[in-house]
Amino acid sequence: MYKLDGRIALVTGGAVGIGRGIATRLAQEGCDVAILDLDLAGAEETAAMVRAAGRRALVRGVDVADADAVAAAVEEIKTALGPIDIAINNAAITGVGKVVDIEPAAWRRMFAINTDSVFHVARSVLPDMIARRNGRIVNIASWFGKIGKPNYAAYSASKAAVIVFTQALAAEVAPLGINVNAVCPGSIVGTKMRDDADRLSREQGLPTAKEREHLIPLGRVGAPDDIARVVAFLASDESSYMTGQAINVTGGLWMN
């Protein structure tokens, strides 16, 4: 549909959930896909799905909070598949807890995975994109990055930083032919992050995503493919006049 044949895509956190949905959708659209994830077993399963779609796949076990490891992986991808055309920053962790209970190390790790990794990937893929004057970067943020939610201060702050970074980078590289956008998922089930968040919510007497489903105007929680469809659009030339956007995919739960 989106004519992405032959483009090289990088997906962080592509082993399961939203990342797997994005990787497989991009493969169906014609992309070869590189997956960065510490969950090598899950990443290899995703890679098998990419290959089943007739595309090449590469897996690297990388801690995306490590700038040097990300840079090295990008060089390996270039050698094996070619320069990266599309970079999807999806890797993230979550946490539930009151500010007074958050340990400084947990706060720093949240930002290292959710925010620093976006910077590391962008910094590594941009030189080739700039040289070709073409590229797409899509950052997976969250609607929690648009509204501070109690018990999610660290997560909300880290995702708000992703949104503002997206806007700043988009303005910086727009004259160079590169589009940078963010997607802000709502309540997406069928992911490890959602399972972790629901478990932590139950432990603290808070409602799970399913228990909040009645609040969603469209009447249902989301699935990874709901996010993957929007990412595929943003990765394509069909979105060529869009940059610096933070697009909600929330079923109407958040309309800003």
Side-chain angles (χ1 to χ4, degrees):
M1 180 190 301
Y2 289 123
K3 301 177 182 177
L4 300 179
D5 292 353
R7 299 191 191 183
I8 310 302
L10 164 64
V11 181
T12 69
V16 294
I18 290 174
R20 173 174 288 178
I22 292 169
T24 55
R25 180 57 185 257
L26 291 178
Q28 292 163 9
E29 297 289 348
C31 292
D32 297 325
V33 183
I35 301 156
L36 303 189
D37 204 304
L38 288 176
D39 177 2
L40 286 175
E44 290 292 354
E45 289 179 4
T46 302
M49 296 175 186
V50 170
R51 295 183 184 110
R55 307 309 308 179
R56 296 181 296 167
L58 181 71
V59 170
R60 288 294 180 267
V62 173
D63 181 351
V64 292
D66 184 332
D68 292 338
V70 169
V74 167
E75 289 302 313
E76 291 181 30
I77 294 164
K78 287 168 57 178
T79 299
L81 301 179
I84 293 164
D85 301 292
I86 301 162
I88 313 298
N89 286 299
N90 167 74
I93 57 174
T94 190
V96 181
K98 298 183 183 301
V99 169
V100 294
D101 296 325
I102 300 172
E103 293 294 333
W107 175 276
R108 290 192 295 271
R109 186 62 178 167
M110 183 77 69
F111 273 81
I113 297 293
N114 294 4
T115 311
D116 294 356
S117 66
V118 177
F119 164 71
H120 298 328
V121 169
R123 188 170 180 270
S124 297
V125 303
L126 276 170
D128 284 327
M129 290 183 178
I130 291 170
R132 298 194 309 276
R133 298 188 70 83
N134 187 270
R136 296 286 189 274
I137 297 175
V138 183
N139 302 321
I140 307 303
S142 171
W143 75 291
F144 276 22
K146 294 187 173 183
I147 178 172
K149 300 293 288 186
N151 303 299
Y152 285 89
Y155 182 76
S156 292
S158 70
K159 291 300 188 176
V162 170
I163 292 171
V164 175
F165 177 79
T166 297
Q167 295 167 342
L169 181 59
E172 184 175 315
V173 300
L176 304 173
I178 301 162
N179 299 61
V180 186
N181 290 288
V183 176
C184 299
S187 296
I188 308 298
V189 298
T191 73
K192 183 179 183 301
M193 178 180 289
R194 173 52 54 196
D195 292 344
D196 289 344
D198 282 350
R199 174 180 53 79
L200 292 169
S201 294
R202 284 191 294 269
E203 290 174 357
Q204 299 187 39
L206 301 170
T208 64
K210 257 312 208 186
E211 291 166 346
R212 298 193 304 270
E213 189 172 42
H214 66 283
L215 300 173
I216 301 172
L218 285 181
R220 68 173 177 88
V221 291
D225 194 52
D226 291 311
I227 308 304
R229 286 194 294 267
V230 178
V231 170
F233 167 70
L234 292 174
S236 78
D237 294 339
E238 297 297 312
S239 64
S240 62
Y241 199 55
M242 295 176 63
T243 199
Q245 303 306 302
I247 300 171
N248 300 321
V249 188
T250 68
L253 186 59
W254 188 251
M255 298 188 180
N256 175 291

